[in-house]
């Protein structure tokens, strides 16, 4: 049997099945299919738009951070960084069972000097902030910098929320 014959057999495998015969006999009303798919399509479009907006906000903040904390002056801007324990293990929240990644953490001379979460003007960050506090209370006070070094987050540094349109 040739490769082409195998492909044809696979394509036609279910053509004679009872389900295929039933579907073949069904009338498909275009109005119903549009209505059926519309909520799903709208949800996907909105999710994609939200993601694109979020990425644009993060890019804008990253540029501002580079100006405020220039690498030439010894600053490292670390993005999407997990909170870890003193042994470098990712710490999970005791309530949600989830880990926490902070959008940006700024390090200089092996010390965290700033922590930033970027979000929209309307997003409620209460639960996320509470989760981060629980993780910090549970030993999640370290991150890995861009060189893989474990860096402690001082108790005086708390993640600030940067809200953007």
């Amino acid at each position: 049997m040739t490769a082409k014959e195998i492909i044809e057999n696979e394509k036609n495998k279910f053509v004679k099945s009872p389900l295929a015969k039933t579907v073949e006999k069904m009338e498909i009303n275009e109005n119903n299919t549009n209505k059926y798919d519309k909520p799903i399509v709208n949800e996907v479009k909105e999710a994609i738009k939200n993601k694109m907006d979020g990425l644009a906000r993060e890019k804008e903040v990253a540029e501002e951070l580079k100006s405020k904390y220039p690498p030439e002056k010894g600053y490292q801007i670390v993005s999407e960084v997990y909170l870890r324990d003193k042994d470098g293990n990712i710490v999970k929240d005791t309530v949600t069972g989830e880990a926490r990644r902070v959008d940006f953490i700024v390090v200089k001379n092996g010390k965290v000097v700033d922590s930033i979460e970027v979000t929209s003007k309307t997003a409620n960050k209460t639960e996320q902030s509470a989760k981060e506090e629980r993780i910090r209370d549970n030993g999640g006070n370290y991150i890995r910098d861009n060189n893989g070094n474990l860096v402690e987050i001082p108790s005086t540094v708390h993640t600030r929320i940067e809200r953007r349109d």
Side-chain angles (χ1 to χ4, degrees):
M1 193 176 274
T2 68
K4 187 175 180 179
E5 290 171 328
I6 292 170
I7 291 169
E8 281 302 312
N9 282 346
E10 284 301 309
K11 282 196 324 192
N12 296 323
K13 193 178 205 176
F14 299 106
V15 170
K16 296 178 183 172
S17 72
L19 178 60
K21 288 177 183 175
T22 304
V23 170
E24 194 174 88
K25 292 176 189 172
M26 291 175 69
E27 280 187 44
I28 298 175
N29 181 338
E30 286 299 319
N31 294 331
N32 288 342
T33 58
N34 290 342
K35 287 179 186 172
Y36 176 77
D37 289 339
K38 190 169 182 164
I40 296 167
V41 170
N42 285 345
E43 286 176 25
V44 170
K45 282 182 184 175
E46 188 61 29
I48 292 170
K49 182 184 181 323
N50 287 345
K51 181 67 173 173
M52 298 296 283
D53 290 347
L55 291 172
R57 281 190 291 271
E58 287 182 19
K59 183 179 180 186
E60 183 180 303
V61 171
E63 292 302 316
E64 290 174 13
L65 289 172
K66 283 180 194 171
S67 294
K68 185 176 179 179
Y69 300 111
E72 330 48 271
K73 292 196 176 178
Y75 291 100
Q76 269 190 45
I77 299 165
V78 189
S79 61
E80 294 293 324
V81 60
Y82 279 106
L83 297 176
R84 299 173 178 273
D85 64 17
K86 63 182 174 52
D87 299 318
N89 301 309
I90 294 171
V91 178
K92 292 189 178 180
D93 177 25
T94 54
V95 174
T96 65
E98 299 169 342
R100 171 83 173 98
R101 278 193 311 209
V102 180
D103 287 338
F104 298 102
I105 291 195
V106 182
V107 178
K108 183 173 184 180
N109 299 326
K111 294 186 172 117
V112 171
V113 295
D114 202 357
S115 179
I116 305 99
E117 180 69 23
V118 182
T119 190
S120 69
K121 295 251 185 197
T122 57
N124 184 343
K125 292 293 182 175
T126 307
E127 287 183 33
Q128 190 176 44
S129 295
K131 177 169 86 169
E132 182 171 335
E133 287 305 311
R134 288 190 299 268
I135 290 172
R136 296 275 310 264
D137 289 344
N138 200 28
N141 294 300
Y142 297 81
I143 58 123
R144 290 218 182 267
D145 70 9
N146 290 331
N147 300 317
N149 300 315
L150 203 57
V151 179
E152 185 172 8
I153 305 169
S155 61
T156 55
V157 175
H158 296 278
T159 301
R160 63 183 169 90
I161 298 175
E162 185 73 30
R163 295 188 178 277
R164 301 287 172 101
D165 284 326

